[in-house]
Amino acid sequence: MARTSQSDYSGWQVVIGLETHAQLSTASKIFSGASTAFGAEPNTQASVIDLALPGVLPVLNRGAVERAIRFGLAVGATIAPRSVFARKNYFYPDLPKGYQISQYEIPVVQGGSLACIVEGRGFEPYAKTVRLTRAHLEEDAGKSLHEDYSGMSGIDLNRAGTPLLEIVTEPDIQVDDIERAANEAVAYARALHSLVTWLGICDGNMQEGSFRCDANVSVRRPGAALGTRCEIKNLNSFRFMHQAIVHEARRQIDLIDAGDRVVQETRLYDPDRDETRSMRSKEDAMDYRYFPDPDLLPLEIDEAWIERVRAELPELPAAKRARFVAALGLSDYDAGLLTADAATARYFEDVIGALPVGQAKLAANWINGDVAAAINAAGESMAGCPVTAAGLAGLLARVVDGTINQKTAKEVFAVLWSGEADSADAVIDSRGLRQISDAGALVAIVEAVLAANPKSVEEFRAGKEKAFNALVGQVMKQSRGKANPQQVNDILREKLES
Amino acid sequence: MSDVLHQMPLAGLAKRLAAREVSAVELARHFLDRIERHRGLNAFLDIRPEATLAQAQAADARRSRGESGPLLGIPVAHKDIFVTRDFASTAASRMLEGYMSPFDATVVERLAQAGMVTLGKVNCDEFAMGSSNENSAYGAVLNPWDTSAVPGGSSGGSSAAVAARIAPVATATDTGGSIREPAAFCGITGTKPTYGRPSRWGMIAFASSLDTAGLMTVSAEDAAWVLSAMCGFDPNDSTSVDRPEEDFTRDLARPVAGLRIGVPKEFFAAGLQPDVERAVRGALETYRSMGATLVDISLPNAELGIPVYYVVAPAECSSNLSRFDGVRYGHRAGEYGDLADMIKRSRAEGFGPEPKRRILIGTYVLSHGYYDAYYIKAQQVRRLIADEFQQAFTRCDVIAGPVTTSVAFGFGEKAADPVSMYMSDLYTIPGSLAGVPSMSIPCGFGDGANASRPVGLQLMSNYFDEARLLGAAHQYQLATDWHRRVPAAFAG
Amino acid sequence: MINYVMILRIAIGKPAPTRPAGRPSLPFSAFPLLFHVRTPVRPHMSLRPEDVQRIAHLARLAITEEEAERTLGQLNDIFGMIERMRAVDTEGVVPMSHPLGGAQRLRADVVTDIPDRERNLANAPARQDGLFLVPRVLE
C-alpha cells in the first residue's frame, strides 16, 4: 500500500512542531526530597509525596526553577515574573495523584528560539531557526511494567515526580520534502539536546528517557491551511525520530490520497516494524480539567534571580563557535564540531590551554580526527574518552617541539588510548620513539638508501618526481618512522641534486 | 478527685500534672474509661489504649526528666482527617478502612512535641464533607445534648467528644464551617485560625484553598493554649505562613471595653430562627454591657458564599480525591473487568454518596466549556467577598453574628435534600472563603422543644488577629457560664 | 465597589417575609431575600442523565442508571442554587485562588527523603517485588 518511490510524495508540504521533555538534572524531585537517580530498586525512590499518600503536599524545588531560567535565558526567551502551576487531571495507574502538576496558562519560559544546522544527503548544510512557543515545568509520571506479575502489571513510581522541562516549538518546520522535513526536525532536536546538556540542565541520556521528543506532524498542499496533526511519541533516538516522521508523513499522504482523512490522535512509533500506530488513547484526553493547583501559590521570579543565573550562564555554543573561528582561526566546520557538545568544547579548550599559543588548528585536527574516530569506534562519548585533555596536550606538545612526528604521534595516541601509559613522554621514552633529527644519523640512512635503490635514483634523475617519494618512504622505513620528515626531504634532495 | 478531672480547664489539669497530683497515665486512663462508657455516642473511630498509654508514659517520663509545659500530659482526640502513625486514618470513609499512615500530620506531631497524649481518632463526615455527621461511613455521632439531634459536621466527633467531656480537647478541621457549626450545635468552643497558620501537611485534603485545622475546646482559654502549640511555620506545606510563632494567650486578659464589634445585617435576615437570633442578640448585649461598641456593618456578597463554595470546594475535592484509585492504598473492588473498571468500581464502592456528589459537581464545573462560567466566576465572587471583609475590618475589630440559622436539627431532617443541608453553612462559609480566623462560642439554648439544644455565637477577626479574637471570646466566657454547661448525662 | 447586584438589592429593598413556623428544614425557598434578588439570571441548562454518566466516567465513578437518575435531580438543584452566583458583575475582578496571596516558597535542591518502601507499600491492595500490582496495563 505504501508507495515505494519517494518522488510519489512530491507536491506535499510537511509541517512539524516538536515537544520535548527534558528531565532536569536536579538531585531531588520537583516536589519532594526523594532522589532522582536512575535505576534504583522499584519504589525505593518514591517518597510519600511521590506516592500521593493521603495528607501529603508538594513543595517546589528551587533547582528545577533555576534550570528553567537557565534554559530560557539561553534561548532568548522571556522569564515570566509570575507563573502558575496547574493540575492536569486524568486517571492512569502510573500517575499517583490522578493529576499531573504542570504549567498551563502561564508557563515560566515564554518565547525564544533555537538555531540549528540542517545536514543530510544531497544538499549543502544550511542554518535554520525554530521559534519556541514556551517551556514549562512539570513532573514526570511513574512506569508501568508489563512483565507478568501474577497476571498483573507492576507499578514503579521511582520516576514519579522527576522534574521535566517541556519545550514546545512553533510549527516552524514547513518543508515540501518529507526527508528534508525530517532532517530539519532532527537538526532541531540535536541542537536542543546539545544545548540542554551544554547548559548542564539535563544529562541528555535518551536511552534512560532523560530527553524525549514528540513530533506533531501534519501534511498539506503548499499554501493550504494546516492539516490535521498527529502526535508521534516514543522517539527515543534521532534515527528513530527521522524514520518515524518520514513514515508518518507518508501515512498521512496515503490516507488523503485514498480519500480518507487524518484523525487527530497520538501515535506510537515502533522502530522494530518502522511504523506508527494509534495509541490506545488515554481516555478523555481532551478534557484534562486544568485549574490552578491550590497547594501551590504562583511562582515568582525576580529580576535579581534572573541576573544571577545570567551571570553564571556558560558561553553558549553559537558564541563559542564564532569565537573559535574569529580568534583561533579555525574553519567554521571545525568550530562547529568542537562546539557540538559541552564536553568536546571543554576538552578542546583544555588542550589548547596547555599548548603554546597558535596550536589551535593542530588540536582541532586531532580532536575532530583521531580522537573523534577512536571515540566513535568505541561507541563512547567525549565524557568517556580515556585520553585526558592533559594527556592529549602532552602528546601534541611533542609534535610541536619536534620530538615526534605526526605518524609516531598516532602510535603514541593508540598507546595512551589503550591505557597502558598515561603520558606521551613515558611512551616515547620507553619505546624509543624520539624523532631522529640528528643530521649525521640521517645522512647515513639516506646514503644507505640511495645505495640500495639505484633504480629509483635513476628514475628521479630522469624527471620522475614520484621516485623521490619512494625514496623518502624508504628512509622513513629504515628509521622506523622516527626520521624528521622535513630533514629527510632536505638531505635527500641535496644528495640527489648534487 | 478523678471524677472531676474531665470538668477542669486545661490550666487546672496542667497544674495538677505539674504538682504530680495526677500523672499523664492516670489522666489518659480517666478519659479512656469515659470514652468506653460513652461508646454509644459513636464519637471515636479508633481507640488503642496501649498506644495512648505509651504516649502518656512518655509524657510522664519527660516530666520526670525535668520537662514542663502547659500541655505536657494533656490528652487530645484527633479528627480522623489528620493522619497518624499510631492509629488508623480513615477520613470516616470505607475507602480508607484500616489505613495506617507512615507519618504523622504536622498538627499531630506538634501537639505530641508539646506533650499531648492521643486518646484516639474521632468520627466526622466522610472526607470532612457534611454538616451533620450523617455522612460518616461508620455511622453518625450523637449530639450529647440531645441524642435525637445531629452533632453538626463535619467535625461532629470532635465537638461531641468535648461536649461530653470524654476528651478535654479535640482537633478539628474547617473548610466551610466544619468546626464552627458542630461547636455551635454541641455547645462548645470551636476555633478556626487564619488559613495557613496551622500546617495542612497530613490533613487528608478536601478543598486545599479552604481547609484549615483548628480546635474544639471547652473554652477560649483552653483553645489559646493548644493553638499556640499547634500553629507554626511548616516547610512541608508551601502555603504555610512563615511568621514567628505566637502566644495566643497574650490577649486573654485584655478587657473588651472599646472593642468595636461589627454586626453584619445580612446575618440577621430571613431564615434566621428566632431562638437563635434571641440568644445571639443577647450575647451582643452582654458585650455592649461590658463596654464594647456594636457597629452595624454590611457584607452584601457574603450570602453568595454558598454558591461560590459549592463550586470551589467540589472543584478542588474532585481533584484531591482522584488519588483514591485502588492502586497504592485504599479500597480495591473485589470484582472488576479491566484496569479502568477496577478504578471505577473501587471508587464507586469506596466513596459514600456525598463525596461522590461533590466529585461529580467538581468534575462538571472544571470540565471543558464550564470552567470560566463556574470556576473562574466563583473565584471572582470569592474575591468580592474577601474584599468586603477587609472593608468591614476598617470599621470594627471583630465581627459577631450567628453561626447557624437554627439549633441542631434532627437526624434525617435534611439528609435527602443536599441544598437544604448546604444552607447549614450559610454564615460560616464567607469567613472560610476569605480565610479569616473565626470561632463559635456557646451563648444559650433554643426555645421550646429545642431548649436543650445549644446556640453558638460566631466571632471573626481579621487575618492573624487570633489573639485578639480569643481574648474577646474569653472575656465573654468570664462573664457567662454557657461554655461550662455539661449535658446532664455526661457530667458525672 | 458597587456592582449591579447591590444596586438591584437597593432597588428592590423588599422586607423580609414571614418566617416559616417551627423548626423546619430550610429548603432553598426559605431564603427569598437572600437569593430571589438574583434576577435576571439565565436559567441553568438542566443536566440530562447522559451528562451524569459522562461526568461520572470522567471522574471514574461507576454509576448505575438508577443512581444517575437519582443524582440528576440533586445535581440540578445544586446547579440551580449555584446559578445565583453567575449573575454577579465581576468585570475586571481578579480571581482569588488563594486566601493569602503571595508567592510560592521554594525548597533547596537537596535529597532529604530516603523512602521506607516497606512502610510506604504496607497499605497496598496488591504488591510483589516492591511493585504495586494492577490489572494489566495495555499500551
Side-chain angles (χ1 to χ4, degrees), chain B residues 206-458:
Chain B
F206 160 20
S208 313
S209 76
L210 295 158
D211 291 345
T212 308
L215 291 168
M216 298 291 192
T217 53
V218 170
S219 68
E221 183 185 359
D222 287 359
W225 284 111
V226 184
L227 201 65
S228 301
M230 193 176 97
C231 293
F233 172 65
D234 180 5
N236 286 328
D237 173 1
S238 78
T239 61
S240 162
V241 179
D242 194 357
R243 289 170 74 100
E245 293 188 12
E246 283 188 34
D247 173 7
F248 293 113
T249 64
R250 67 175 187 269
D251 281 345
L252 289 178
R254 186 170 167 181
V256 294
L259 185 76
R260 298 171 301 164
I261 299 177
V263 182
K265 64 170 189 273
E266 291 80 4
F267 282 32
F268 293 86
L272 179 63
Q273 294 302 295
D275 52 354
V276 174
E277 179 165 0
R278 177 186 48 71
V280 169
R281 291 212 187 272
L284 295 176
E285 266 320 302
T286 303
Y287 271 113
R288 198 212 296 274
S289 70
M290 293 162 67
T293 313
L294 302 186
V295 183
D296 287 332
I297 61 163
S298 177
L299 298 169
N301 277 313
E303 60 192 293
L304 288 169
I306 287 184
V308 168
Y309 180 84
Y310 280 97
V311 170
V312 172
E316 294 183 10
C317 109
S318 71
S319 180
N320 282 333
L321 267 53
S322 290
R323 68 190 57 199
F324 300 101
D325 57 5
V327 172
R328 299 166 313 289
Y329 49 81
H331 178 74
R332 177 180 289 192
E335 287 177 27
Y336 48 80
D338 60 3
L339 172 66
D341 192 49
M342 183 279 277
I343 295 175
K344 277 185 164 186
R345 283 179 191 240
S346 299
R347 289 167 61 77
E349 294 171 10
F351 291 134
E354 188 61 29
K356 282 191 218 175
R357 194 150 43 232
R358 298 198 192 191
I359 288 170
L360 292 175
I361 297 168
T363 303
Y364 181 73
V365 300
L366 289 176
S367 67
H368 189 67
Y370 300 96
Y371 177 73
D372 286 348
Y374 286 109
Y375 191 72
I376 294 294
K377 187 76 180 183
Q379 299 283 40
Q380 289 175 315
V381 180
R382 181 179 185 180
R383 186 172 299 281
L384 296 179
I385 293 169
D387 287 350
E388 285 173 5
F389 274 99
Q390 289 314 298
Q391 284 170 22
F393 282 122
T394 61
R395 302 184 52 220
C396 60
D397 306 305
V398 300
I399 292 172
V403 178
T404 53
T405 53
S406 72
V407 294
F409 46 88
F411 285 104
E413 266 185 47
K414 300 185 178 186
D417 180 0
V419 170
S420 86
M421 183 71 87
Y422 295 171
M423 289 299 159
S424 309
D425 296 329
L426 181 67
Y427 304 136
T428 51
I429 279 176
S432 291
L433 292 171
V436 295
S438 45
M439 297 182 69
S440 172
I441 57 175
C443 68
F445 287 87
D447 284 346
N450 294 330
S452 64
R453 300 187 184 186
V455 174
L457 172 73
Q458 183 171 212

Side-chain angles (χ1 to χ4, degrees), chain A residues 14-18 128 130-131 133 168-174 216 218 220 226 229:
Chain A
V14 182
V15 178
I16 303 171
L18 293 133
K128 163 100 191 171
V130 177
R131 288 171 302 153
T133 312
V168 183
T169 74
E170 294 289 306
D172 273 359
I173 295 175
Q174 306 191 353
N216 285 301
S218 65
R220 64 172 168 183
L226 285 176
R229 65 171 199 260

Side-chain angles (χ1 to χ4, degrees), chain A residues 354-433:
Chain A
L355 286 175
V357 175
Q359 300 302 330
K361 180 71 186 158
L362 175 71
N365 287 344
W366 267 85
I367 292 168
N368 292 338
D370 293 81
V371 178
I375 283 172
N376 288 340
E380 268 291 351
S381 68
M382 182 53 89
C385 179
V387 181
T388 62
L392 183 68
L395 171 62
L396 298 185
R398 293 300 155 259
V399 175
V400 172
D401 68 13
T403 306
I404 55 173
N405 60 34
Q406 289 272 11
K407 188 158 174 293
T408 306
K410 288 177 195 293
E411 193 183 328
V412 176
F413 178 76
V415 177
L416 292 177
W417 180 276
S418 73
E420 284 170 42
D422 52 12
S423 99
D425 288 341
V427 179
I428 291 165
D429 288 343
S430 69
R431 305 200 170 196
L433 297 176

